[in-house]
Coordinates of all heavy atoms in Angstrom, one line a residue:
R31 N 112.2 105.6 81.3 CA 113.6 106.1 81.1 C 113.7 107.6 80.9 O 114.5 108.3 81.5 CB 114.3 105.3 80.0 CG 114.6 103.9 80.2 CD 115.1 103.2 79.0 NE 115.8 101.9 79.2 CZ 116.2 101.2 78.3 NH1 116.1 101.4 77.0 NH2 116.8 100.0 78.6
P89 N 118.2 116.2 79.3 CA 117.0 116.8 80.0 C 117.2 118.3 80.3 O 118.4 118.8 80.4 CB 116.9 116.0 81.3 CG 117.7 114.8 81.1 CD 118.8 115.2 80.1
A127 N 99.4 123.8 84.1 CA 98.0 123.8 83.5 C 98.1 123.5 82.0 O 98.8 124.3 81.3 CB 97.3 125.1 83.7
K131 N 95.0 116.7 74.0 CA 94.0 116.3 73.0 C 94.4 114.9 72.5 O 95.5 114.6 72.4 CB 94.0 117.3 71.9 CG 93.6 118.7 72.3 CD 93.6 119.6 71.1 CE 93.1 121.1 71.5 NZ 93.1 122.0 70.4
V158 N 100.7 115.4 98.6 CA 100.3 116.3 97.6 C 98.9 116.9 97.8 O 98.0 116.2 98.1 CB 100.3 115.5 96.1 CG1 99.8 116.5 95.1 CG2 101.5 115.0 95.8
F209 N 80.2 105.7 80.1 CA 80.1 106.7 79.0 C 79.7 106.1 77.7 O 79.9 104.9 77.4 CB 81.4 107.5 78.9 CG 82.4 106.8 78.1 CD1 82.5 106.9 76.8 CD2 83.3 105.9 78.7 CE1 83.5 106.2 76.0 CE2 84.3 105.2 78.0 CZ 84.3 105.4 76.6
I228 N 75.9 92.6 89.9 CA 77.0 91.8 90.6 C 77.3 92.5 92.0 O 77.4 91.8 93.0 CB 78.2 91.8 89.7 CG1 77.9 90.9 88.5 CG2 79.3 91.1 90.5 CD1 79.1 90.7 87.5
E263 N 86.2 102.0 96.8 CA 86.8 102.8 97.9 C 86.7 102.1 99.3 O 85.7 101.4 99.6 CB 86.0 104.1 98.0 CG 86.0 104.9 96.8 CD 85.2 106.2 96.8 OE1 84.8 106.5 98.0 OE2 84.9 106.8 95.8
S277 N 85.3 100.3 71.2 CA 85.2 101.3 70.1 C 85.0 100.6 68.8 O 85.5 99.5 68.6 CB 86.3 102.2 70.0 OG 87.6 101.5 69.8
L293 N 80.5 95.2 69.1 CA 81.7 94.3 69.2 C 81.5 93.4 70.4 O 81.8 92.2 70.3 CB 83.0 95.2 69.4 CG 83.4 96.0 68.3 CD1 84.7 96.7 68.6 CD2 83.6 95.2 67.0
I294 N 81.0 94.0 71.5 CA 80.7 93.2 72.7 C 79.4 93.8 73.3 O 79.3 94.9 73.4 CB 81.8 93.3 73.8 CG1 83.2 92.7 73.2 CG2 81.4 92.4 75.0 CD1 84.3 92.9 74.2
G314 N 94.5 92.1 96.8 CA 94.9 92.8 98.0 C 95.9 93.9 97.6 O 96.3 94.1 96.4
Q322 N 100.8 100.1 90.4 CA 101.9 99.7 91.1 C 103.2 100.5 90.7 O 104.0 101.0 91.6 CB 102.3 98.3 90.9 CG 101.4 97.3 91.7 CD 101.8 95.9 91.5 OE1 102.9 95.5 91.1 NE2 100.9 94.9 91.9
Q354 N 114.1 100.1 86.9 CA 114.5 101.4 86.4 C 114.8 102.4 87.5 O 115.7 103.2 87.4 CB 113.3 102.0 85.6 CG 113.0 101.2 84.3 CD 114.2 101.1 83.3 OE1 115.0 102.1 83.2 NE2 114.4 99.9 82.8

Side-chain angles (χ1 to χ4, degrees):
R31 286 172 167 178
K131 298 181 179 182
V158 178
F209 78 89
I228 292 176
E263 301 176 13
S277 60
L293 297 180
I294 302 177
Q322 283 185 15
Q354 296 303 315

